[in-house]
Amino acid sequence: MKAIADQQFVRFLIVGAVNTGVGSIIMFGLYNFAHVPYWISSFSNYFLTSILSFFLNKHFTFQNTEKNSLQVIRFAINIAVCYLLAYGIARPVCRYFLSNAEIQIRDNVSMLAGMVLFTFLNFWGQKLFTFRSAGS
Protein backbone atom coordinates (compact mmCIF):
# COMPACT_ATOMS: atom_id res chain seq x y z
CA MET A 1 0.00 0.00 0.00
CA LYS A 2 2.83 2.42 0.85
CA ALA A 3 4.50 1.73 -2.53
CA ILE A 4 1.28 2.67 -4.33
CA ALA A 5 1.07 5.94 -2.41
CA ASP A 6 4.73 6.65 -3.18
CA GLN A 7 4.21 5.94 -6.91
CA GLN A 8 1.13 8.13 -6.93
CA PHE A 9 2.99 10.95 -5.25
CA VAL A 10 5.85 10.72 -7.79
CA ARG A 11 3.34 10.81 -10.68
CA PHE A 12 1.52 13.67 -8.94
CA LEU A 13 4.80 15.60 -8.76
CA ILE A 14 5.43 15.02 -12.48
CA VAL A 15 1.97 16.35 -13.34
CA GLY A 16 2.57 19.15 -10.86
CA ALA A 17 5.86 20.09 -12.53
CA VAL A 18 4.07 20.58 -15.84
CA ASN A 19 1.27 22.57 -14.21
CA THR A 20 3.74 24.55 -12.09
CA GLY A 21 5.75 25.57 -15.14
CA VAL A 22 2.70 26.77 -17.05
CA GLY A 23 1.03 28.24 -13.97
CA SER A 24 4.16 30.09 -12.82
CA ILE A 25 4.47 31.80 -16.17
CA ILE A 26 0.83 32.84 -15.93
CA MET A 27 0.88 33.92 -12.26
CA PHE A 28 4.25 35.66 -12.04
CA GLY A 29 3.88 37.11 -15.52
CA LEU A 30 0.53 38.63 -14.70
CA TYR A 31 1.72 39.96 -11.34
CA ASN A 32 5.18 41.24 -12.29
CA PHE A 33 4.76 42.30 -15.92
CA ALA A 34 1.06 43.03 -16.38
CA HIS A 35 0.72 44.40 -12.79
CA VAL A 36 -2.41 42.35 -12.14
CA PRO A 37 -3.25 42.17 -8.39
CA TYR A 38 -2.09 39.27 -6.18
CA TRP A 39 -5.42 37.42 -5.88
CA ILE A 40 -6.28 37.68 -9.59
CA SER A 41 -2.79 36.59 -10.66
CA SER A 42 -2.71 33.58 -8.36
CA PHE A 43 -6.33 32.64 -9.13
CA SER A 44 -5.70 32.83 -12.89
CA ASN A 45 -2.91 30.31 -12.51
CA TYR A 46 -5.10 27.71 -10.80
CA PHE A 47 -8.19 28.36 -12.86
CA LEU A 48 -6.36 27.94 -16.17
CA THR A 49 -4.26 24.92 -15.21
CA SER A 50 -6.96 23.01 -13.33
CA ILE A 51 -8.52 21.46 -16.43
CA LEU A 52 -5.22 19.91 -17.51
CA SER A 53 -4.55 18.84 -13.94
CA PHE A 54 -7.91 17.06 -13.65
CA PHE A 55 -7.33 14.85 -16.69
CA LEU A 56 -3.65 14.15 -16.02
CA ASN A 57 -4.22 13.30 -12.36
CA LYS A 58 -7.34 11.25 -13.05
CA HIS A 59 -5.71 9.08 -15.72
CA PHE A 60 -1.96 9.24 -15.04
CA THR A 61 -1.54 9.83 -11.31
CA PHE A 62 -4.43 7.96 -9.74
CA GLN A 63 -5.27 5.77 -12.77
CA ASN A 64 -8.93 6.28 -12.03
CA THR A 65 -11.30 4.82 -14.64
CA GLU A 66 -14.62 5.72 -13.02
CA LYS A 67 -17.08 7.62 -15.18
CA ASN A 68 -18.45 9.83 -12.47
CA SER A 69 -19.53 13.43 -13.00
CA LEU A 70 -19.30 13.98 -9.25
CA GLN A 71 -15.52 13.76 -9.61
CA VAL A 72 -15.53 17.03 -11.53
CA ILE A 73 -17.48 18.68 -8.72
CA ARG A 74 -15.24 17.14 -6.04
CA PHE A 75 -12.18 18.24 -8.03
CA ALA A 76 -13.43 21.83 -8.24
CA ILE A 77 -14.24 21.88 -4.51
CA ASN A 78 -10.81 20.44 -3.69
CA ILE A 79 -9.00 23.00 -5.86
CA ALA A 80 -11.00 25.88 -4.35
CA VAL A 81 -10.46 24.77 -0.75
CA CYS A 82 -6.73 24.08 -1.27
CA TYR A 83 -6.27 27.39 -3.10
CA LEU A 84 -8.02 29.45 -0.42
CA LEU A 85 -6.18 27.68 2.40
CA ALA A 86 -2.74 27.78 0.79
CA TYR A 87 -2.81 31.38 -0.38
CA GLY A 88 -4.86 32.58 2.56
CA ILE A 89 -2.22 31.20 4.93
CA ALA A 90 0.86 32.08 2.87
CA ARG A 91 0.11 35.76 2.38
CA PRO A 92 -0.32 36.83 6.01
CA VAL A 93 2.56 34.62 7.18
CA CYS A 94 4.90 36.11 4.57
CA ARG A 95 3.68 39.62 5.34
CA TYR A 96 4.50 39.02 9.00
CA PHE A 97 7.97 37.52 8.46
CA LEU A 98 8.88 39.86 5.62
CA SER A 99 7.32 43.00 7.04
CA ASN A 100 10.38 45.10 6.17
CA ALA A 101 10.53 43.91 2.54
CA GLU A 102 8.93 45.66 -0.41
CA ILE A 103 5.37 44.57 -1.12
CA GLN A 104 6.33 43.06 -4.48
CA ILE A 105 8.95 40.87 -2.79
CA ARG A 106 6.51 39.83 -0.06
CA ASP A 107 3.80 38.98 -2.60
CA ASN A 108 6.20 36.99 -4.81
CA VAL A 109 7.47 35.01 -1.81
CA SER A 110 3.92 34.42 -0.59
CA MET A 111 2.86 33.20 -4.05
CA LEU A 112 5.80 30.80 -4.05
CA ALA A 113 4.97 29.62 -0.52
CA GLY A 114 1.32 29.27 -1.54
CA MET A 115 2.34 27.05 -4.47
CA VAL A 116 4.26 24.70 -2.15
CA LEU A 117 1.47 24.52 0.42
CA PHE A 118 -1.13 24.07 -2.32
CA THR A 119 0.81 21.10 -3.77
CA PHE A 120 0.68 19.11 -0.54
CA LEU A 121 -2.92 19.99 0.28
CA ASN A 122 -4.01 19.23 -3.27
CA PHE A 123 -2.33 15.81 -3.39
CA TRP A 124 -4.12 14.63 -0.27
CA GLY A 125 -7.39 16.23 -1.32
CA GLN A 126 -7.31 14.52 -4.70
CA LYS A 127 -6.23 11.19 -3.23
CA LEU A 128 -8.72 11.11 -0.36
CA PHE A 129 -11.61 13.14 -1.79
CA THR A 130 -11.61 13.64 -5.55
CA PHE A 131 -10.35 10.32 -6.91
CA ARG A 132 -11.00 7.97 -4.01
CA SER A 133 -12.25 4.64 -5.26
CA ALA A 134 -15.81 3.60 -4.54
CA GLY A 135 -14.62 0.83 -2.22
CA SER A 136 -12.51 3.15 -0.05
Side-chain angles (χ1 to χ4, degrees), residues 39-112:
W39 286 107
I40 296 171
S41 297
S42 62
F43 175 79
S44 297
N45 166 16
Y46 289 96
F47 180 78
L48 295 172
T49 59
S50 287
I51 296 167
L52 175 63
S53 176
F54 175 81
F55 289 105
L56 289 176
N57 281 312
K58 176 178 176 63
H59 298 291
F60 177 67
T61 303
F62 299 105
Q63 299 175 345
N64 184 285
T65 58
E66 291 179 35
K67 304 286 189 222
N68 184 344
S69 60
L70 288 178
Q71 283 182 334
V72 174
I73 295 167
R74 288 195 309 254
F75 181 83
I77 291 168
N78 179 63
I79 293 293
V81 168
C82 291
Y83 167 76
L84 291 171
L85 282 172
Y87 285 83
I89 291 168
R91 194 171 198 202
V93 168
C94 288
R95 279 188 170 180
Y96 177 78
F97 285 108
L98 300 172
S99 61
N100 293 328
E102 295 177 21
I103 191 160
Q104 189 168 0
I105 291 171
R106 282 193 315 236
D107 281 351
N108 276 287
V109 171
S110 70
M111 285 189 288
L112 185 60

Side-chain angles (χ1 to χ4, degrees), residues 1-13 53-54 57-58 61-64 66 71 74-75 77-79 82 118-136:
M1 190 66 130
K2 186 176 191 263
I4 292 171
D6 292 343
Q7 291 171 2
Q8 286 177 336
F9 192 67
V10 168
R11 289 191 301 261
F12 184 81
L13 290 177
S53 176
F54 175 81
N57 281 312
K58 176 178 176 63
T61 303
F62 299 105
Q63 299 175 345
N64 184 285
E66 291 179 35
Q71 283 182 334
R74 288 195 309 254
F75 181 83
I77 291 168
N78 179 63
I79 293 293
C82 291
F118 178 89
T119 298
F120 289 102
L121 293 171
N122 187 31
F123 172 76
W124 289 106
Q126 287 192 39
K127 180 175 179 59
L128 300 174
F129 178 65
T130 303
F131 298 118
R132 72 180 185 272
S133 60
S136 297

